[in-house]
Amino acid sequence: MSSAATEIKRREKPVIAIDGPAGAGKSTMAAHLARRFGFLNLETGAMYRALALKAIEHDLGFEDEAALLDLADQTKITLQPQREGNIVLLDGFDVSRRVREKDVTSAASQVSVHPKLRVWMVEQQRKMGEAGGVVMEGRDIGTVVFPDAEVKIFLDAAPEVRGNRRYRQVMPGSEPEHVATEAAIVAELKERDTRDRNREDSPLKPAEDAVILDSTGLTLEQVLTKAEDIVHAHLGSQV
Ligand code: DC
């Protein structure tokens, strides 16, 4: 029996992997599927963000892999799944809002290129999902973290569409200094896409057996219905 098959047998419940570029709506989809099927939603990007925040606080260079790894070894990151997303604890402190700010967003993409740091993250993410019953979202869930995930969805959309959605999402209640123009948001998304897709280790790409769902031109409701259909098609009576 292959090791992947052994893994599947050991898990009590399935893993649903959702990957895709920034702003595609992965978190919304993960939260929805988790509610619908009684799973836990885990946003792995928040872990990269939390470590990036700590690097900022410690004034570390984002290119210094050894220092970042050292920092990671003295860091505890906890994700607490909620109905709408995750509470993120960095060494016990709630940083859920702070990690969404612009400087941390850019830093997270930069620190996530380092292979050793990714090993550190992947180890923790595998532990978090080992019993199954999770919807885990990120960039490398279906390819690296759980290549044996029972369901893999790669959620994509045109950069302009993702930027427009994020613009509308970010505006209400944003601090004035964090309000960006729509064009600036699209430019930032494209920059992150380029880095995430072209890094040497675990670049963002669909797993060979992922179902690709392009939400350009679809309403949120249509996307969520399609995602539910994909889960049903793969899990049948398991959910
Ligand atoms: O999903 P997000 O925007 O919160 O992710 C922040 C950054 O973390 C993103 O630019 C790439 C990185 N990331 C990653 O490399 N692998 C993951 N599984 C999740 C996120």
Side-chain angles (χ1 to χ4, degrees):
M1 196 185 288
S2 76
S3 63
T6 316
E7 278 284 310
I8 290 170
K9 281 209 124 185
R10 265 200 283 131
R11 267 203 302 265
E12 290 157 27
K13 292 183 191 164
V15 168
I16 300 175
I18 302 179
D19 292 299
K26 300 185 297 295
S27 301
T28 305
M29 177 181 283
H32 174 81
L33 293 179
R35 284 196 300 274
R36 173 72 182 75
F37 298 110
F39 284 21
L40 294 175
N41 54 321
L42 295 167
E43 300 173 353
T44 61
M47 299 175 68
Y48 290 91
R49 287 170 181 270
L51 191 74
L53 171 59
K54 192 159 172 180
I56 291 171
E57 286 170 347
H58 285 244
D59 221 4
L60 291 187
F62 306 141
E63 70 296 329
D64 190 344
E65 181 171 27
L68 290 168
L69 196 63
D70 237 28
L71 187 73
D73 284 334
Q74 302 158 39
T75 301
K76 184 163 173 49
I77 301 170
T78 313
L79 299 183
Q80 295 181 336
Q82 309 288 307
R83 260 186 82 78
E84 303 301 336
N86 287 177
I87 289 177
V88 190
L89 301 181
L90 174 59
D91 298 323
F93 290 96
D94 185 345
V95 294
S96 313
R97 282 181 72 91
R98 176 69 182 102
V99 295
R100 299 283 153 204
E101 287 174 14
K102 200 164 175 271
D103 58 336
V104 182
T105 299
S106 168
S109 174
Q110 294 175 65
V111 306
S112 70
V113 303
H114 299 300
K116 287 181 187 147
L117 199 67
R118 300 198 66 86
V119 170
W120 187 90
M121 293 284 177
V122 169
E123 252 174 40
Q124 308 208 16
Q125 291 157 6
R126 285 190 180 143
K127 266 187 219 138
M128 289 159 71
E130 69 189 351
V134 297
V135 186
M136 192 173 277
E137 58 113 329
R139 302 293 188 287
D140 59 344
I141 311 304
T143 50
V144 178
V145 183
F146 285 107
D148 60 346
E150 285 79 355
V151 185
K152 297 182 187 179
I153 300 176
F154 190 88
L155 183 61
D156 209 345
E160 287 71 19
V161 172
R162 290 186 275 124
N164 177 263
R165 287 182 192 148
R166 183 137 291 182
Y167 176 69
R168 285 183 286 134
Q169 197 182 50
V170 165
M171 290 307 105
S174 291
E175 300 295 326
E177 68 267 29
H178 298 132
V179 173
T181 64
E182 187 172 342
I185 291 179
V186 173
E188 191 268 332
L189 280 181
K190 283 186 176 167
E191 188 190 320
R192 275 214 288 156
D193 279 0
T194 305
R195 198 183 295 117
D196 295 348
R197 286 185 205 269
N198 295 311
R199 67 181 174 222
E200 266 177 43
D201 186 27
S202 316
L204 169 68
K205 62 169 188 210
E208 274 178 18
D209 51 350
V211 179
I212 296 177
L213 180 45
D214 191 323
S215 72
T216 311
L218 298 180
T219 64
L220 177 61
E221 201 175 36
Q222 287 170 328
V223 176
L224 297 181
T225 303
K226 279 185 187 285
E228 280 185 31
D229 291 347
I230 294 167
V231 174
H232 279 299
H234 283 78
L235 298 182
S237 59
Q238 287 187 74
V239 287

